[in-house]
Amino acid sequence: MSTVGIVGSGIGGIAFAIRMQLMGHAVTVFEANEEAGGKLGQLQLAGYRFDTGPSLFTMPQLVDELFELAGKNPRDYLNYQRLPEICSYFWEDQTRLKTVEDASETAKLMAEALQEDATNISQYLKDAGTKYNIISDLFLDDSLHKLSTWTSKKAMLGYANLHQLGLFQTMHQAHKKRFKNPKTVQLFDRYATYNGSDPYQTPATLSIIPHLEYNLGAYFPKGGMIEIPRSLVRLAKDLGVQFHLNEAVEKIRTTGNIANGIVTKKGSYDFDFVASNADIRPSYKKLLPETLRPGKLLNQPKSSSGVIFYWGVNRIFEELGVHNIFFSKDYQAEFEAIFKQATLFEDPTVYVHISSKVAPEDAPAGGENWFVLINAPADSGQDWDALVQRCRQQVIDKINRTLGINLEDYLVAEDYLDPRRIESRTSSAGGALYGNASNNKFAAFLRHPNYRSAIKNMYWIGGSVHPGGGIPLCLSSAKIAAKLFQENV
Ligand code: FAD
């Protein structure tokens, strides 16, 4: 039995802890915050409950897998429902569209609302599934930093189908070729934001993302998104994982190039193996200052961050669902503002998530809990106080114009996050939601490895490393790192 110390209890860190403990090791997790979960947090405000981070839960089987691996019934820990309605879309010219769990019905609804060919939309969603299947075996289950991955039978199959993956055109170019209506292009381009990227730069390969939502489904956990890390922490504790909360790691100890301990204000702990679930930038700069850094990776542009308003509203809006999008009039200019000018766009696309639609206990009777997210650049010293204030008014004006209401009459509770606050709460560099941006094919697919021979006995998990950000990929990073450990890499 070996001892393993993990820095950080984001979803990836908890999943890695479970996997290592199940392999028979003694695992200790150090978390700077008072609760585990990282970006999956919760806010209680004047009777309203908000999930502060992720709101869209896809591929729940990746969470179930951890309970099953431990021989437990997942339903004893976490329950969730598949959402019958996926997303309501609003444009200011009063075009409206609701997508639903059945992909062929969604294709029909899109065709009607956007004057598209339903068969083309159905085929697009099928193609997304095909592409997903081609790359998932290679990309989601294995390290791309091992020769055996590239020479395996699965990889050979992948190469034969490489032409289908859209590596050599941008997502926007592919969508523009495929759909007549710029609104359909905008709708599918938006999926680039699911890993914090720009559809005008990111490869068309990322159009696998709609497959997760439309073919595999959108889910919501009982008790909110916060129940995902909480249920996994319950499992981890049942298995014997130790959690040191409110204990920030100040240094990862190394002797030569071998990681062998963790130093906090409370003490210096010896471990046979160490893992970092913290973002790669602070991991190197603060925790491993004397180690040779992968400079190029650390300096790559960050994914988008967000400005998020948590609004308690004292009215029910029948026209809204669990997930809602109010689209910008000029999507290209919005992404230029975020990724080129590093600022907020004056007419931002607004995402409104209302969990009380399916979990009425999340808001007082007659009210709704609005989580309102605007894509934003990562922090590079902008005047966030001024930007947030300006953006708040622009968002309210946009919703008012689209729905014909006066939202300020109904706002009774309020808080917000901006990139600075996201960074200070989760140590994510610049407050980026998904690590580095995937704005070219190298950045998208060659992220920081889960193991580097430059620092032996150390593993890397989470949204800033391979295979990427978002709950499903962070869970995959833990699986790949555990596999590398088992293979004695
Ligand atoms: P993180 O969540 O980044 O956690 C890292 C943990 O390490 C933190 O708890 C931090 O405190 C701790 N830590 C760091 N340094 C130290 C240290 N020195 N000592 C001790 N502890 C340390 N994903 C989706 O799938 N769906 C969504 O809808 C979605 N929406 C999002 C919306 C927002 C507003 C945000 C912020 C993120 C969203 N994401 C979404 C992305 C998703 O939340 C992340 O990709 C994922 O949760 C990151 O997990 P992680 O394992 O990388 O750890």
Side-chain angles (χ1 to χ4, degrees), residues 6-15 29-41 51-58 193-195 225 228 244 246-252 262-264 276-279 282-283 286-287 304-308 310 323 351 371 373 417 422-428 431-435 461-465 468-475 477:
I6 302 179
V7 183
S9 67
I11 190 80
I14 306 169
V29 180
F30 295 84
E31 170 53 54
N33 292 329
E34 64 185 16
E35 182 168 4
K39 294 187 179 75
L40 284 131
D51 288 304
T52 52
S55 53
L56 180 69
F57 185 28
T58 53
T193 66
Y194 280 36
N195 77 352
M225 297 295 285
I228 302 171
H244 290 215
N246 281 319
E247 191 169 350
V249 173
E250 297 191 331
K251 201 170 172 199
I252 293 173
I262 276 176
V263 180
T264 74
S276 180
N277 176 223
D279 185 288
S283 290
K286 293 189 185 149
L287 309 183
S304 58
S305 182
V307 170
I308 306 112
Y310 306 97
H323 301 289
Y351 165 64
F371 162 110
L373 173 111
L417 275 186
I422 295 173
E423 176 161 16
S424 78
R425 289 176 193 189
T426 65
S427 300
S428 162
L433 305 190
Y434 303 93
I461 308 112
S464 65
V465 303
I471 298 168
L473 295 193
C474 291
L475 291 169
S477 76

Side-chain angles (χ1 to χ4, degrees), residues 393-410:
Q393 196 54 50
Q394 287 163 341
V395 169
I396 290 175
D397 291 346
K398 186 172 183 67
I399 294 173
N400 286 348
R401 281 194 306 273
T402 313
L403 297 184
I405 56 168
N406 187 13
L407 184 58
E408 272 170 314
D409 290 348
Y410 312 108

Side-chain angles (χ1 to χ4, degrees), residues 364-402:
E368 292 179 342
N369 62 339
W370 285 29
F371 162 110
V372 180
L373 173 111
I374 293 95
N375 290 315
D379 179 43
S380 55
Q382 298 91 330
D383 180 354
W384 287 110
D385 293 335
L387 284 173
V388 168
Q389 208 183 359
R390 196 187 73 192
C391 155
R392 179 185 182 279
Q393 196 54 50
Q394 287 163 341
V395 169
I396 290 175
D397 291 346
K398 186 172 183 67
I399 294 173
N400 286 348
R401 281 194 306 273
T402 313

Side-chain angles (χ1 to χ4, degrees), residues 163-182:
H163 61 285
Q164 291 186 49
L165 296 182
L167 275 167
F168 303 103
Q169 57 183 337
T170 68
M171 196 183 209
H172 178 72
Q173 284 164 342
H175 290 153
K176 212 171 149 203
K177 264 190 225 154
R178 185 139 192 175
F179 301 109
K180 286 191 299 208
N181 189 336

